[in-house]
Amino acid sequence: MGTQPQRSAKNPRRLPKILLILVLLCLVTVGLFAWRPTTFAGAYQRSVAWRIGLRNHDVVLGQYRIHYMVAGQGKPLVLVHGLAGRAENWLTLVPEFTRNGYQVYALDLLGYGRSEQPDVDYSIALESDILGKFLDSQKLAQPDIAGWSMGGWISLKFAAEHPNRVHRLILMDSAGLLFDAVNSGALRPKTEPQLAHMMEVLTPHPRPIPGFLARDILRNFAENDWVVARSLASMGTGRDLMDGKMQTATMPVLIIWGKEDILTPLSVGEGMHRGMPQSVLYVFDGTGHLAPTERAPEVADTVIGFLKAEPPPGGGEREVSEAH
């Protein structure tokens, strides 16, 4: 009879080593998460973007490199984020837009996200020019454009100066008119209490931010604070304000506003509505400056209904109750 080959006596000893390695990897991962949680959040956002079909691209506009994302097929819809924002701010809305037959373009404005950060003033006028050059680069003759907060101001300025370049315009809690603004320091937090105050300005339903996460968020704010500071300084000069300049924006306009918005109060949205009488104003009850994320399904339905309506809705104001 032949002898059976014996199993290596070393194999059982490998299991504790493998378990030790796995434990160490878990500890390192937990440690990295506690140290840089926003890095993990960014990776998660990128995975969500990939899953919903958003693909990354870069384009050189004049002397500046701009990053943008594209998803879907159909009518072009360009999304313009707000101060200290980025293309990923639109992740909650993009799936509904693409499902309803729109090709979505979400760009990182100059100085933000993964776009270049040159030594410039980051004015509304400069960003509006970047928006126009971006449309040219993508051969978008007359897309629909949606802007949120500062992005609304940029979009409104472009639409008023180039009304033949915009099919329909959507403004969400937009800046752009003269009003008694909150202290700009609320948008440039340096400490954990200041970060908590910023969230109170942005939403009527702020949630506590764990210390380890708050510290990492503040680190990210510090890295890009100089760009935000220049944007705010340029806005503060008032040279790009749209008061008395909106009458040339003659395309159909949808204005979406959080009724409890402290950062850009409802009076601003009402002023835009008066300045563009063909516009329709939707006011979301129980909502602040973050309607596109906090009320994403209803905002998406409102936007899609507006874009698809034939003839386009004109005039009027409607209130959307808070869901309970």
Side-chain angles (χ1 to χ4, degrees):
M1 295 178 59
T3 58
Q4 295 291 328
Q6 294 184 356
R7 296 180 179 177
S8 171
K10 294 181 179 179
N11 286 345
R13 299 176 185 175
R14 293 176 60 187
L15 184 59
K17 292 182 179 179
I18 292 172
L19 289 175
L20 178 60
I21 291 171
L22 290 174
V23 169
L24 289 174
L25 285 174
C26 288
L27 289 174
V28 169
T29 301
V30 170
L32 287 173
F33 177 77
W35 182 48
R36 291 288 187 266
T38 59
T39 300
F40 285 79
Y44 173 74
Q45 282 190 326
R46 288 191 290 275
S47 70
V48 171
W50 180 265
R51 191 166 63 248
I52 65 178
L54 280 165
R55 298 295 180 261
N56 295 292
H57 303 273
D58 288 284
V59 62
V60 176
L61 305 178
Q63 56 185 313
Y64 307 128
R65 179 188 56 78
I66 295 295
H67 170 264
Y68 66 101
M69 307 175 86
V70 182
Q73 296 292 327
K75 297 179 180 179
L77 172 60
V78 179
L79 307 177
V80 187
H81 67 75
L83 184 75
R86 58 193 306 145
E88 286 86 352
N89 293 157
W90 300 98
L91 290 180
T92 55
L93 298 178
V94 168
E96 287 302 313
F97 296 154
T98 56
R99 269 197 291 268
N100 280 274
Y102 290 90
Q103 184 170 39
V104 174
Y105 296 79
L107 70 154
D108 286 334
L109 291 167
L110 187 67
Y112 296 98
R114 284 174 270 182
S115 289
E116 190 175 349
Q117 292 185 325
D119 184 10
V120 294
D121 65 358
Y122 294 103
S123 65
I124 298 298
L126 174 60
E127 298 287 14
S128 179
D129 182 61
I130 290 291
L131 175 58
K133 288 178 178 176
F134 176 76
L135 301 187
D136 292 340
S137 74
Q138 305 304 304
K139 297 180 171 56
L140 301 177
Q142 198 181 47
D144 298 312
I145 298 180
W148 180 4
S149 193
M150 182 184 77
W153 189 349
I154 293 163
S155 302
L156 176 58
K157 181 174 175 62
F158 179 80
E161 294 177 351
H162 309 279
N164 61 319
R165 297 296 309 275
V166 182
H167 180 240
R168 296 188 186 183
L169 178 66
I170 302 105
L171 304 174
M172 304 180 182
D173 292 277
S174 175
L177 299 186
L178 182 64
F179 68 100
D180 292 330
V182 299
N183 189 311
S184 62
L187 303 177
R188 299 175 59 199
K190 305 294 192 299
T191 65
E192 291 183 40
Q194 289 174 352
L195 180 62
H197 174 62
M198 184 187 77
M199 295 311 300
E200 291 170 353
V201 168
L202 292 176
T203 174
H205 312 291
R207 296 179 180 179
I209 303 175
F212 76 96
L213 177 57
R215 288 187 290 274
D216 200 33
I217 291 173
L218 290 169
R219 179 186 63 83
N220 286 331
F221 269 107
E223 288 179 358
N224 298 292
D225 182 66
W226 69 277
V227 176
V228 174
R230 290 194 185 182
S231 295
L232 289 168
S234 178
M235 291 183 215
T237 66
R239 62 175 176 263
D240 292 323
L241 287 171
M242 297 304 297
D243 299 81
K245 303 175 184 176
M246 295 178 289
Q247 65 274 13
T248 53
T250 53
M251 70 291 297
V253 179
L254 169 65
I255 301 172
I256 289 176
W257 226 271
K259 191 173 183 178
E260 280 72 46
D261 193 341
I262 296 174
L263 185 61
T264 51
L266 179 56
S267 59
V268 177
E270 293 169 338
M272 291 180 176
H273 185 39
R274 289 191 300 271
M276 296 176 287
Q278 84 281 13
S279 65
V280 57
L281 172 63
Y282 276 75
V283 179
F284 284 74
D285 193 22
T287 307
H289 197 69
L290 306 179
T293 53
E294 294 184 343
R295 304 287 293 274
E298 297 150 292
V299 168
D301 288 346
T302 302
V303 171
I304 292 165
F306 166 76
L307 292 177
K308 288 183 175 292
E310 292 295 349
E317 180 177 338
R318 297 159 196 177
E319 185 162 321
V320 183
S321 299
E322 185 176 14
H324 294 286

